[in-house]
Short mmCIF file of all heavy atoms in Angstrom, two decimals:
data_model
loop_
_atom_site.label_atom_id
_atom_site.label_comp_id
_atom_site.label_asym_id
_atom_site.label_seq_id
_atom_site.Cartn_x
_atom_site.Cartn_y
_atom_site.Cartn_z
N GLU A 15 -22.41 -8.57 4.37
CA GLU A 15 -21.81 -7.47 3.65
C GLU A 15 -20.31 -7.69 3.50
O GLU A 15 -19.68 -8.37 4.31
CB GLU A 15 -22.07 -6.15 4.38
CG GLU A 15 -23.53 -5.77 4.50
CD GLU A 15 -24.16 -5.46 3.17
OE1 GLU A 15 -23.47 -4.87 2.31
OE2 GLU A 15 -25.33 -5.79 2.97
N ARG A 16 -19.76 -7.09 2.47
CA ARG A 16 -18.32 -7.15 2.30
C ARG A 16 -17.64 -6.34 3.40
O ARG A 16 -18.08 -5.23 3.73
CB ARG A 16 -17.93 -6.61 0.92
CG ARG A 16 -16.47 -6.78 0.58
CD ARG A 16 -16.25 -6.83 -0.92
NE ARG A 16 -16.81 -5.70 -1.61
CZ ARG A 16 -16.86 -5.58 -2.93
NH1 ARG A 16 -16.39 -6.57 -3.70
NH2 ARG A 16 -17.38 -4.51 -3.49
N GLU A 17 -16.58 -6.88 3.98
CA GLU A 17 -15.92 -6.24 5.09
C GLU A 17 -14.42 -6.10 4.85
O GLU A 17 -13.81 -6.89 4.14
CB GLU A 17 -16.16 -7.02 6.39
CG GLU A 17 -15.55 -8.40 6.41
CD GLU A 17 -15.76 -9.11 7.73
OE1 GLU A 17 -16.34 -8.51 8.66
OE2 GLU A 17 -15.34 -10.29 7.84
N PHE A 18 -13.86 -5.11 5.50
CA PHE A 18 -12.44 -4.83 5.40
C PHE A 18 -11.63 -5.89 6.12
O PHE A 18 -12.00 -6.34 7.20
CB PHE A 18 -12.16 -3.45 6.00
CG PHE A 18 -10.71 -3.12 6.15
CD1 PHE A 18 -9.94 -2.79 5.05
CD2 PHE A 18 -10.12 -3.14 7.40
CE1 PHE A 18 -8.59 -2.48 5.19
CE2 PHE A 18 -8.78 -2.82 7.56
CZ PHE A 18 -8.02 -2.50 6.44
N VAL A 19 -10.49 -6.25 5.54
CA VAL A 19 -9.58 -7.21 6.16
C VAL A 19 -8.24 -6.55 6.49
O VAL A 19 -7.81 -6.56 7.64
CB VAL A 19 -9.34 -8.42 5.25
CG1 VAL A 19 -8.31 -9.36 5.88
CG2 VAL A 19 -10.65 -9.15 4.98
N ALA A 20 -7.59 -5.98 5.48
CA ALA A 20 -6.27 -5.39 5.68
C ALA A 20 -5.94 -4.46 4.52
O ALA A 20 -6.51 -4.57 3.44
CB ALA A 20 -5.20 -6.49 5.79
N ALA A 21 -5.00 -3.56 4.75
CA ALA A 21 -4.54 -2.65 3.70
C ALA A 21 -3.08 -2.28 3.95
O ALA A 21 -2.58 -2.37 5.08
CB ALA A 21 -5.40 -1.39 3.65
N ILE A 22 -2.42 -1.85 2.88
CA ILE A 22 -1.03 -1.41 2.97
C ILE A 22 -0.85 -0.19 2.09
O ILE A 22 -1.36 -0.13 0.98
CB ILE A 22 -0.05 -2.55 2.59
CG1 ILE A 22 1.40 -2.12 2.81
CG2 ILE A 22 -0.30 -3.02 1.17
CD1 ILE A 22 2.39 -3.28 2.71
N ARG A 23 -0.09 0.78 2.58
CA ARG A 23 0.13 2.01 1.86
C ARG A 23 1.02 1.81 0.63
O ARG A 23 1.65 0.77 0.48
CB ARG A 23 0.78 3.05 2.76
CG ARG A 23 -0.13 3.62 3.83
CD ARG A 23 -1.16 4.53 3.21
NE ARG A 23 -1.96 5.20 4.22
CZ ARG A 23 -3.07 5.86 3.97
NH1 ARG A 23 -3.51 5.97 2.71
NH2 ARG A 23 -3.74 6.43 4.96
N GLN A 24 1.04 2.83 -0.21
CA GLN A 24 1.89 2.81 -1.39
C GLN A 24 3.35 2.60 -0.99
O GLN A 24 3.77 2.93 0.12
CB GLN A 24 1.73 4.11 -2.19
CG GLN A 24 2.04 5.37 -1.38
CD GLN A 24 0.82 5.93 -0.68
OE1 GLN A 24 -0.14 5.20 -0.43
NE2 GLN A 24 0.84 7.20 -0.35
N LEU A 25 4.10 2.03 -1.93
CA LEU A 25 5.50 1.65 -1.72
C LEU A 25 5.58 0.48 -0.75
O LEU A 25 5.53 -0.67 -1.16
CB LEU A 25 6.34 2.83 -1.26
CG LEU A 25 6.44 3.99 -2.24
CD1 LEU A 25 7.25 5.13 -1.64
CD2 LEU A 25 7.07 3.55 -3.55
N GLY A 26 5.70 0.76 0.50
CA GLY A 26 5.72 -0.27 1.53
C GLY A 26 5.43 0.34 2.88
O GLY A 26 6.09 0.03 3.88
N GLY A 27 4.43 1.22 2.88
CA GLY A 27 4.12 2.02 4.04
C GLY A 27 3.32 1.30 5.10
O GLY A 27 3.41 0.08 5.27
N ASN A 28 2.54 2.07 5.83
CA ASN A 28 1.79 1.56 6.97
C ASN A 28 0.86 0.42 6.59
O ASN A 28 0.31 0.38 5.48
CB ASN A 28 0.97 2.68 7.61
CG ASN A 28 1.85 3.74 8.25
OD1 ASN A 28 3.01 3.51 8.55
ND2 ASN A 28 1.26 4.92 8.46
N ARG A 29 0.67 -0.48 7.54
CA ARG A 29 -0.25 -1.60 7.38
C ARG A 29 -1.41 -1.44 8.35
O ARG A 29 -1.23 -0.96 9.47
CB ARG A 29 0.46 -2.92 7.63
CG ARG A 29 1.62 -3.19 6.69
CD ARG A 29 2.36 -4.43 7.08
NE ARG A 29 3.51 -4.67 6.22
CZ ARG A 29 4.33 -5.70 6.33
NH1 ARG A 29 4.11 -6.62 7.28
NH2 ARG A 29 5.36 -5.83 5.52
N TYR A 30 -2.58 -1.87 7.92
CA TYR A 30 -3.78 -1.76 8.73
C TYR A 30 -4.54 -3.09 8.69
O TYR A 30 -4.60 -3.74 7.65
CB TYR A 30 -4.69 -0.65 8.20
CG TYR A 30 -3.99 0.68 8.02
CD1 TYR A 30 -3.37 0.99 6.82
CD2 TYR A 30 -3.97 1.62 9.04
CE1 TYR A 30 -2.72 2.21 6.65
CE2 TYR A 30 -3.33 2.83 8.88
CZ TYR A 30 -2.70 3.12 7.69
OH TYR A 30 -2.07 4.32 7.52
N TYR A 31 -5.14 -3.46 9.83
CA TYR A 31 -5.86 -4.72 9.93
C TYR A 31 -7.16 -4.53 10.69
O TYR A 31 -7.25 -3.72 11.60
CB TYR A 31 -5.03 -5.77 10.67
CG TYR A 31 -3.73 -6.12 10.00
CD1 TYR A 31 -2.55 -5.47 10.36
CD2 TYR A 31 -3.67 -7.10 9.02
CE1 TYR A 31 -1.35 -5.79 9.75
CE2 TYR A 31 -2.47 -7.42 8.41
CZ TYR A 31 -1.31 -6.77 8.78
OH TYR A 31 -0.13 -7.09 8.17
N SER A 32 -8.15 -5.33 10.31
CA SER A 32 -9.36 -5.38 11.10
C SER A 32 -9.07 -6.12 12.40
O SER A 32 -8.14 -6.94 12.48
CB SER A 32 -10.48 -6.08 10.34
OG SER A 32 -10.19 -7.46 10.17
N ASP A 33 -9.86 -5.86 13.42
CA ASP A 33 -9.65 -6.51 14.70
C ASP A 33 -9.79 -8.02 14.62
O ASP A 33 -9.12 -8.76 15.35
CB ASP A 33 -10.63 -5.97 15.74
CG ASP A 33 -10.34 -4.53 16.13
OD1 ASP A 33 -9.20 -4.08 15.95
OD2 ASP A 33 -11.26 -3.86 16.63
N SER A 34 -10.62 -8.50 13.72
CA SER A 34 -10.88 -9.92 13.63
C SER A 34 -9.71 -10.73 13.08
O SER A 34 -9.64 -11.94 13.28
CB SER A 34 -12.13 -10.19 12.78
OG SER A 34 -11.93 -9.74 11.45
N VAL A 35 -8.78 -10.07 12.38
CA VAL A 35 -7.65 -10.79 11.78
C VAL A 35 -6.30 -10.35 12.33
O VAL A 35 -5.29 -11.01 12.06
CB VAL A 35 -7.64 -10.65 10.25
CG1 VAL A 35 -8.98 -11.04 9.67
CG2 VAL A 35 -7.25 -9.24 9.82
N LYS A 36 -6.27 -9.29 13.09
CA LYS A 36 -5.01 -8.78 13.62
C LYS A 36 -4.30 -9.85 14.45
O LYS A 36 -4.90 -10.49 15.30
CB LYS A 36 -5.26 -7.53 14.46
CG LYS A 36 -4.00 -6.80 14.89
CD LYS A 36 -4.34 -5.50 15.61
CE LYS A 36 -5.07 -4.53 14.70
NZ LYS A 36 -5.35 -3.24 15.37
N GLY A 37 -3.02 -10.03 14.16
CA GLY A 37 -2.24 -11.04 14.85
C GLY A 37 -2.22 -12.38 14.15
O GLY A 37 -1.39 -13.23 14.48
N ARG A 38 -3.11 -12.58 13.19
CA ARG A 38 -3.17 -13.83 12.44
C ARG A 38 -2.83 -13.65 10.96
O ARG A 38 -2.25 -14.53 10.35
CB ARG A 38 -4.56 -14.46 12.54
CG ARG A 38 -4.96 -14.84 13.97
CD ARG A 38 -6.27 -15.62 13.97
NE ARG A 38 -7.38 -14.83 13.45
CZ ARG A 38 -8.11 -15.16 12.38
NH1 ARG A 38 -7.83 -16.28 11.72
NH2 ARG A 38 -9.11 -14.39 11.99
N PHE A 39 -3.23 -12.52 10.39
CA PHE A 39 -3.00 -12.24 8.97
C PHE A 39 -1.89 -11.20 8.82
O PHE A 39 -1.75 -10.31 9.65
CB PHE A 39 -4.26 -11.70 8.31
CG PHE A 39 -5.39 -12.68 8.18
CD1 PHE A 39 -5.37 -13.92 8.80
CD2 PHE A 39 -6.50 -12.34 7.41
CE1 PHE A 39 -6.42 -14.81 8.68
CE2 PHE A 39 -7.56 -13.23 7.28
CZ PHE A 39 -7.52 -14.45 7.90
N THR A 40 -1.15 -11.30 7.72
CA THR A 40 -0.12 -10.34 7.40
C THR A 40 -0.25 -9.91 5.95
O THR A 40 -0.25 -10.75 5.04
CB THR A 40 1.28 -10.92 7.62
OG1 THR A 40 1.42 -11.33 8.99
CG2 THR A 40 2.35 -9.86 7.32
N ILE A 41 -0.37 -8.61 5.72
CA ILE A 41 -0.43 -8.08 4.37
C ILE A 41 0.96 -7.60 3.96
O ILE A 41 1.69 -7.02 4.76
CB ILE A 41 -1.47 -6.95 4.25
CG1 ILE A 41 -1.66 -6.54 2.79
CG2 ILE A 41 -1.09 -5.75 5.11
CD1 ILE A 41 -2.84 -5.59 2.57
N SER A 42 1.32 -7.85 2.72
CA SER A 42 2.61 -7.42 2.20
C SER A 42 2.50 -7.19 0.70
O SER A 42 1.50 -7.56 0.08
CB SER A 42 3.70 -8.45 2.52
OG SER A 42 3.43 -9.69 1.89
N ARG A 43 3.54 -6.60 0.14
CA ARG A 43 3.53 -6.35 -1.30
C ARG A 43 4.94 -6.47 -1.86
O ARG A 43 5.93 -6.20 -1.17
CB ARG A 43 2.96 -4.95 -1.61
CG ARG A 43 3.80 -3.80 -1.07
CD ARG A 43 3.04 -2.48 -1.13
NE ARG A 43 2.69 -2.11 -2.49
CZ ARG A 43 1.82 -1.16 -2.81
NH1 ARG A 43 1.18 -0.50 -1.84
NH2 ARG A 43 1.56 -0.89 -4.08
N ASP A 44 5.01 -6.87 -3.11
CA ASP A 44 6.25 -6.93 -3.86
C ASP A 44 6.07 -6.02 -5.06
O ASP A 44 5.45 -6.41 -6.05
CB ASP A 44 6.58 -8.35 -4.28
CG ASP A 44 7.95 -8.47 -4.94
OD1 ASP A 44 8.43 -7.48 -5.51
OD2 ASP A 44 8.54 -9.56 -4.88
N ASN A 45 6.58 -4.82 -4.98
CA ASN A 45 6.37 -3.85 -6.04
C ASN A 45 7.08 -4.22 -7.34
O ASN A 45 6.62 -3.86 -8.42
CB ASN A 45 6.80 -2.46 -5.57
CG ASN A 45 5.92 -1.92 -4.47
OD1 ASN A 45 4.70 -2.11 -4.48
ND2 ASN A 45 6.52 -1.23 -3.50
N ASN A 46 8.19 -4.92 -7.23
CA ASN A 46 8.90 -5.35 -8.44
C ASN A 46 8.09 -6.38 -9.22
O ASN A 46 8.19 -6.45 -10.44
CB ASN A 46 10.27 -5.92 -8.08
CG ASN A 46 11.23 -4.87 -7.58
OD1 ASN A 46 11.15 -3.70 -7.96
ND2 ASN A 46 12.15 -5.28 -6.72
N GLU A 47 7.30 -7.18 -8.52
CA GLU A 47 6.48 -8.21 -9.15
C GLU A 47 5.02 -7.77 -9.30
O GLU A 47 4.21 -8.55 -9.80
CB GLU A 47 6.54 -9.50 -8.35
CG GLU A 47 7.93 -10.12 -8.26
CD GLU A 47 8.43 -10.57 -9.62
OE1 GLU A 47 7.60 -10.95 -10.47
OE2 GLU A 47 9.65 -10.54 -9.84
#
């Protein structure tokens, strides 16, 4: 099944990670791009 990895709030808010990737993956966003 498809599973959650990570998410980030609008603008540049809170970040969330699944336990399996926490500490290894980093989610980020560039709103200008």
Side-chain angles (χ1 to χ4, degrees):
E15 298 293 324
R16 187 154 54 187
E17 65 177 357
F18 171 75
V19 176
I22 185 169
R23 289 288 186 192
Q24 58 270 23
L25 297 177
N28 294 340
R29 300 174 183 181
Y30 308 89
Y31 299 94
S32 68
D33 290 338
S34 63
V35 308
K36 188 175 297 183
R38 298 187 298 120
F39 292 10
T40 301
I41 188 170
S42 63
R43 65 193 298 167
D44 186 334
N45 293 322
N46 291 330
E47 298 295 330

